[in-house]
Amino acid sequence: MAGKKVLIVYAHQEPRSFNGSLKDVAVAELSRQGCTVTVSDLYAMDFEPRATRKDITGGKMVPEYTVLYMNCALSSPEFFSYGVEAYEACKKRSLTSDIIAEQKKVQEADLVMFQFPLYWFSVPAVLKGWMDRVLCQGFAFDLPGFYDDGLLKGKLAILSLTTGGTADMYWKTGASGDFRYFLWPLQHGTLHFCGFKVLAPHISFAPEFASEEERRGMVASWAQRLKTIWKEEPIPCWPPWYFGQ
Amino acid sequence: MAGKKVLIVYAHQEPRSFNGSLKDVAVAELSRQGCTVTVSDLYAMDFEPRATRKDITGGKMVPEYTVLYMNCALSSPEFFSYGVEAYEACKKRSLTSDIIAEQKKVQEADLVMFQFPLYWFSVPAVLKGWMDRVLCQGFAFDLPGFYDDGLLKGKLAILSLTTGGTADMYWKTGASGDFRYFLWPLQHGTLHFCGFKVLAPHISFAPEFASEEERRGMVASWAQRLKTIWKEEPIPCWPPWYFGQ
């Protein structure tokens, strides 16, 4: 929809991969609609996944004494709690620049789209690190200020992911259980916690086992869905949608 | 139990943290029993979480042309698929040395223990990266060769984790749902997939909101449980344990 802003957080190593194609077709279709599309290509950016005291900056710039300097910028230099320090640094605007840059992109976006291959029923570590570091207290949530009151309320999020396993493994009676089960920590525990409304996930099952024609069909169906993405209603937030209770 | 080998994969930035205390007490108690205990202290090791082509080595050592050299070692240098390349490299023993070192520790262990704070209903990115990179096809599983037939069958695993949220948030009717829900991707999708039998998780809820005396009690109860850990039966693998169906 013209005027909307979309951030695509993309986690694949290979531009010519199937994930890369899904990202490319999303950029093309959303741009065609007049949206402003920004891509965070995490591997290309060599995005840092580890949450460490390096994320807390501030004080005088004395590069040769970086470690000492950073310790001095901490609220509790003797005892490092990442969550506490990141919250303080967020309020003081002294988080490291790569985190602030990503937060700015999220802040401006109407829709945040995550494009990734499923690694161990979850996101690849580089994307987990994006979540760990970017979605900090004070920016994405506060206490209180989570779930329906999360600080990113008013925004939409969607997961577009590929799997190694086939669709028949991801049913209630399949070896890997219903695919909704593994979505819970991501869609509820992370996105809903931050206040996002979540659109139905787009899962491309087992592209590695599909023919070239089937893969083209999967990319085309993603492009097709995106044509009417702005008319979609969010999915329910609560356990029955995930676990059928 | 005397003679048993334990690997503790530990993910906290601060040695004097509550997680650090839980790790320390586990090392002490298991050593007292005569176990051989190895700790992978992921932040202290600056463990690499990103799954990239740097993980695939081999060929002649020509350090100044590392990138070219690494491309030449890949099965498909024109199109990088991490899973495919890691599997090939695992078979050829040409994975990078930090992965091989961790695999050796896992291979030797009777019990693999994970000690971490819950980040976004899951493990911190540095530990997710350990899972993504160490538990590769050919080492931890194969196709076929997963779930009950996973290549690490015969081994035990246990999650010991701390939460930010209080216990009453992690019930079926709590805001964050039953804690078993978020365990599914880790215990089933990862550990069971690799063939591990999984012991009941040890969850220390909200130590940050506890008194110093309560925290000491939580550490003591972990030490107490470890005294009889070798007599425990694994938990059930399947959805009813997690979702009550």
Side-chain angles (χ1 to χ4, degrees):
Chain A
M1 204 156 71
K4 292 284 191 185
K5 290 182 178 168
V6 180
L7 170 62
I8 303 179
V9 186
Y10 164 69
H12 200 286
Q13 304 89 346
E14 170 60 54
R16 284 164 298 171
S17 63
F18 185 75
N19 270 271
S21 298
L22 292 172
K23 179 262 292 172
D24 289 344
V25 81
V27 172
E29 170 56 27
L30 293 165
S31 300
R32 193 195 59 74
Q33 294 174 18
C35 301
T36 304
V37 185
T38 303
V39 177
S40 286
D41 182 344
L42 300 183
Y43 287 106
M45 294 157 73
D46 200 25
F47 190 81
E48 172 60 62
R50 288 160 289 212
T52 70
R53 60 185 74 209
K54 290 178 192 165
D55 289 353
I56 318 301
T57 69
K60 280 192 300 179
M61 286 306 294
V62 188
E64 61 267 50
Y65 297 110
T66 302
V67 171
L68 181 62
Y69 142 75
M70 283 185 172
N71 277 338
C72 293
L74 296 173
S75 304
S76 306
E78 297 302 313
F79 183 99
F80 182 72
S81 165
Y82 186 83
V84 170
E85 297 296 340
Y87 182 37
E88 290 300 316
C90 184
K91 287 189 287 191
K92 290 189 287 189
R93 306 291 301 159
S94 60
L95 287 166
T96 188
S97 59
D98 66 334
I99 294 178
I100 289 176
E102 293 304 303
Q103 289 178 339
K104 187 159 180 287
K105 295 178 197 173
V106 172
Q107 199 60 66
E108 291 177 352
D110 299 293
L111 168 64
V112 181
M113 181 177 287
F114 297 89
Q115 179 64 56
F116 61 97
L118 194 69
Y119 277 21
W120 292 124
F121 277 33
S122 185
V123 294
V126 72
L127 177 48
K128 184 58 168 59
W130 186 95
M131 292 170 169
D132 290 352
R133 297 174 67 233
V134 175
L135 302 177
C136 72
Q137 185 176 354
F139 171 71
F141 68 94
D142 214 332
L143 304 173
F146 54 90
Y147 288 124
D148 291 349
D149 298 317
L151 302 186
L152 302 179
K153 69 183 168 191
K155 298 181 188 297
L156 293 169
I158 184 171
L159 305 183
S160 171
L161 60 114
T162 61
T163 66
T166 53
D168 61 339
M169 293 179 74
Y170 289 106
W171 295 111
K172 194 165 176 177
T173 54
S176 294
D178 196 301
F179 65 82
R180 293 177 187 85
Y181 299 167
F182 71 67
L183 293 170
W184 173 255
L186 297 169
Q187 292 189 340
H188 178 75
T190 310
L191 298 172
H192 181 203
F193 192 88
C194 298
F196 283 105
K197 297 280 190 190
V198 180
L199 300 178
H202 197 85
I203 307 183
S204 304
F205 287 102
E208 285 178 296
F209 298 108
S211 68
E212 187 57 32
E213 189 183 343
E214 288 169 324
R215 279 198 292 275
R216 271 197 294 267
M218 287 192 265
V219 173
S221 81
W222 177 225
Q224 186 63 32
R225 179 175 169 191
L226 291 172
K227 287 185 198 301
T228 54
I229 195 86
W230 301 106
K231 295 180 182 166
E232 290 189 17
E233 287 295 318
I235 59 171
C237 297
W238 300 104
W241 186 86
Y242 292 90
F243 311 118
Q245 293 156 339
Chain B
M1 204 158 68
K4 292 285 190 185
K5 290 181 177 168
V6 181
L7 169 62
I8 302 179
V9 186
Y10 163 70
H12 201 285
Q13 303 91 344
E14 171 60 54
R16 284 164 297 171
S17 63
F18 185 74
N19 270 270
S21 298
L22 293 172
K23 180 262 291 172
D24 289 343
V25 82
V27 172
E29 169 55 29
L30 293 165
S31 300
R32 193 195 60 72
Q33 294 173 17
C35 300
T36 305
V37 185
T38 304
V39 177
S40 286
D41 183 343
L42 300 183
Y43 287 106
M45 295 156 73
D46 200 25
F47 190 80
E48 172 59 62
R50 290 161 287 214
T52 69
R53 59 187 73 209
K54 290 179 192 163
D55 289 353
I56 319 301
T57 68
K60 282 191 300 180
M61 283 307 294
V62 188
E64 61 267 48
Y65 297 109
T66 304
V67 172
L68 180 62
Y69 143 76
M70 283 184 173
N71 277 338
C72 293
L74 296 174
S75 305
S76 306
E78 297 302 313
F79 183 100
F80 182 72
S81 164
Y82 186 82
V84 170
E85 297 296 341
Y87 182 37
E88 290 301 316
C90 184
K91 288 190 285 192
K92 291 190 287 192
R93 309 290 299 158
S94 60
L95 287 166
T96 189
S97 59
D98 66 333
I99 294 178
I100 289 177
E102 293 305 302
Q103 290 178 338
K104 188 159 180 289
K105 295 178 198 172
V106 172
Q107 199 60 67
E108 291 177 352
D110 299 293
L111 168 63
V112 181
M113 181 178 285
F114 297 89
Q115 180 64 56
F116 61 96
L118 194 69
Y119 277 21
W120 291 124
F121 278 32
S122 185
V123 294
V126 71
L127 178 47
K128 184 57 168 60
W130 186 95
M131 293 172 170
D132 290 352
R133 297 174 67 235
V134 175
L135 302 177
C136 71
Q137 186 178 356
F139 172 71
F141 70 94
D142 213 332
L143 304 172
F146 54 90
Y147 287 124
D148 290 348
D149 298 317
L151 302 185
L152 302 179
K153 68 184 168 191
K155 298 182 187 299
L156 292 169
I158 186 170
L159 304 183
S160 172
L161 60 113
T162 62
T163 66
T166 53
D168 62 338
M169 293 180 74
Y170 288 106
W171 295 111
K172 194 166 175 176
T173 54
S176 294
D178 196 300
F179 65 82
R180 293 176 187 86
Y181 300 166
F182 70 67
L183 294 170
W184 173 256
L186 298 169
Q187 293 189 339
H188 179 75
T190 310
L191 298 172
H192 181 204
F193 193 87
C194 298
F196 283 104
K197 296 281 190 189
V198 179
L199 300 178
H202 197 85
I203 308 183
S204 304
F205 287 101
E208 285 179 295
F209 297 107
S211 67
E212 186 58 32
E213 188 182 345
E214 288 170 323
R215 278 199 294 275
R216 270 198 294 268
M218 288 193 263
V219 173
S221 81
W222 176 225
Q224 187 63 32
R225 179 176 168 191
L226 289 171
K227 288 186 197 299
T228 54
I229 194 88
W230 301 104
K231 296 180 182 166
E232 291 189 17
E233 289 294 319
I235 59 170
C237 297
W238 299 105
W241 187 85
Y242 292 90
F243 312 119
Q245 294 158 339

